[in-house]
Amino acid sequence: PYYSSRVTLILLTVLLLFTVQVSHAQNADSMYIASKNIGFKGEYEIARAGLEKVLQVAPDYYDARVFIARTFSWESKYAESKYHLNLVLNQDPKNLEALDALIDALRWPGETDSAMIVCKKAQQYYPNEERFKVKETEIIKQQTARKFTVDQLKADSFYTKGRELAFKSKYTEARVLLDSALGRDPKLFEASILKGCTFSWQQKYSEARPILDKVLKEDTVPARRKEALSARADIEVYDLKHKTAQQKCDTALKEFPNAVEFRKKKSIAYANDEYYKE
C-alpha cells in the first residue's frame, strides 16, 4: 500500500508540473500573438512590454526576442535591435528569423557589407530559403544605387513577408504586413495589388475593387498595370459579372493588345454568359 500510494503521489506531481508547463506555454503563445499584433499597429513600447512578460514566462521564447528586435529596427534604434538579435544568435546561431531580422538591422542604416556577410551565412544554413536570395538582391541594389530611403527598404521587407503569408493563404496576417509596407511607402504598388488580390481570393470583391482601381489610376509602370488589370478582370469573372468582365478585358486589350491572358479571360466571361459562339 505504501509503495502504491507513493507511486500515485509521484505520478500526480509529474502530471501537475506538466499541466503548469503546458499552461505557461499556452499563455506565452497567446501573449506573443497579442503583442505582435500590437507591434504591427505601431505601438512598439506596448508590444515590447508584452513580449518582455512572455520572456519572463518562457526565457527561451526566441520569437519574442526577435520581434522585440524588429520593433527597435522599425524605430531606427539599430544598436538595441542588434543587441537582442545577438542574444538569440549566441544561443541559436541558425535561428532563421533572427538572421533575417539582423540583415535588416544592418542594411537599413547602410551597413551593407556586414549585411551581406550575414546574408551569405544564412544562405549556407538555408540554401532553399527564398527570402535570403531576395535580401541579397536588395543589398546589391542598395550598394550600387544609394537612392533607396530607409522607409523604402523597410516597406520592401514588410512586403516580402506579407507576400510569403499571402501565398500560404494567411490573408488577414498578410494584409497587416502589406498595410505596414504601404504606410512607409504609399507608392509600393506591388503591395496594393497583392492586398487587392487577397480580398479577391476571399471573395470580398467590393473591398478588392477600389484598391486595384486606385493602382490603375496612379501607377504608370506597364508590368504592374498589366498585373492590376488582370486581377481586376478576375474579380468580375469570379463575381459572375459577365458583361463587366468583358469590358475590363477590352480595356486591358487596348493597353496590351498582344496579351493572350485577357482574351482567355474574355472567353471565360462569354462562356459564363452562355455566348458560346463568341
Side-chain angles (χ1 to χ4, degrees):
Y2 170 76
Y3 177 80
S4 177
S5 62
R6 187 176 180 185
V7 169
T8 301
L9 179 61
I10 291 170
L11 289 173
L12 287 171
T13 303
V14 170
L15 180 61
L16 177 62
L17 289 172
F18 177 76
T19 303
V20 169
Q21 287 178 334
V22 170
S23 177
H24 280 321
Q26 289 174 338
N27 286 339
D29 286 338
S30 298
M31 289 165 64
Y32 168 71
I33 292 168
S35 300
K36 194 174 179 180
N37 288 335
I38 290 169
F40 282 138
K41 293 176 181 176
E43 300 289 345
Y44 301 132
E45 289 188 14
I46 297 173
R48 286 195 290 266
L51 293 165
E52 290 290 357
K53 289 181 181 179
V54 172
L55 290 169
Q56 289 174 12
V57 174
D60 293 334
Y61 205 124
Y62 294 137
D63 284 349
R65 193 169 293 283
V66 170
F67 199 81
I68 287 173
R70 286 197 183 281
T71 65
F72 278 124
S73 285
W74 296 335
E75 288 188 293
S76 301
K77 297 177 180 178
Y78 301 112
E80 292 91 333
S81 179
K82 286 183 278 190
Y83 168 77
H84 283 279
L85 293 170
N86 285 324
L87 285 179
V88 174
L89 291 168
N90 287 339
Q91 297 295 319
D92 182 12
K94 296 183 180 181
N95 187 288
L96 187 147
E97 293 299 331
L99 289 166
D100 187 35
L102 182 57
I103 293 168
D104 289 338
L106 291 166
R107 72 188 181 101
W108 289 347
E111 298 177 45
T112 52
D113 291 341
S114 298
M116 184 62 83
I117 290 170
V118 177
C119 190
K120 291 290 188 184
K121 185 187 293 185
Q123 286 179 303
Q124 289 177 356
Y125 294 148
Y126 304 99
N128 298 319
E129 184 62 44
E130 189 66 27
R131 73 175 79 178
F132 296 123
K133 297 175 186 176
V134 172
K135 288 276 169 75
E136 182 180 8
T137 301
E138 291 168 351
I139 294 167
I140 292 169
K141 284 182 183 178
Q142 191 178 353
Q143 288 173 328
T144 55
R146 301 273 176 181
K147 62 184 179 181
F148 289 95
T149 67
V150 171
D151 273 346
Q152 285 173 321
L153 290 167
K154 290 179 182 178
D156 194 60
S157 181
F158 277 122
Y159 167 69
T160 301
K161 292 184 178 300
R163 190 171 182 273
E164 288 176 11
L165 290 173
F167 289 126
K168 291 177 182 176
S169 301
K170 297 181 178 180
Y171 302 129
T172 302
E173 297 95 323
R175 285 194 289 270
V176 170
L177 289 164
L178 295 171
D179 283 337
S180 293
L182 290 165
R184 287 162 174 79
D185 183 5
K187 297 297 183 183
L188 187 61
F189 293 113
E190 293 92 336
S192 292
I193 294 169
L194 183 57
K195 182 181 176 182
C197 287
T198 63
F199 279 122
S200 179
W201 297 334
Q202 287 185 295
Q203 300 180 353
K204 297 180 178 181
Y205 306 121
S206 60
E207 294 173 78
R209 287 185 181 97
I211 296 171
L212 294 169
D213 287 343
K214 186 173 186 292
V215 172
L216 290 168
K217 183 178 179 181
E218 297 178 3
D219 194 11
T220 59
V221 175
R224 289 198 299 256
R225 287 189 60 79
K226 184 179 178 183
E227 186 178 357
L229 285 164
S230 182
R232 192 64 183 81
D234 282 339
I235 289 173
E236 306 308 332
V237 172
Y238 299 155
D239 202 19
L240 302 180
K241 306 288 186 183
H242 312 308
K243 293 289 189 296
T244 308
Q246 294 161 28
Q247 291 167 3
K248 293 297 178 185
C249 290
D250 285 337
T251 300
L253 285 165
K254 288 178 183 177
E255 196 166 336
F256 300 98
N258 298 319
V260 176
E261 65 186 274
F262 296 115
R263 299 192 183 279
K264 289 181 178 179
K265 293 179 196 293
K266 187 175 180 181
S267 174
I268 292 168
Y270 271 132
N272 288 341
D273 209 14
E274 299 183 3
Y275 284 86
Y276 302 116
K277 182 180 177 181
E278 289 79 356

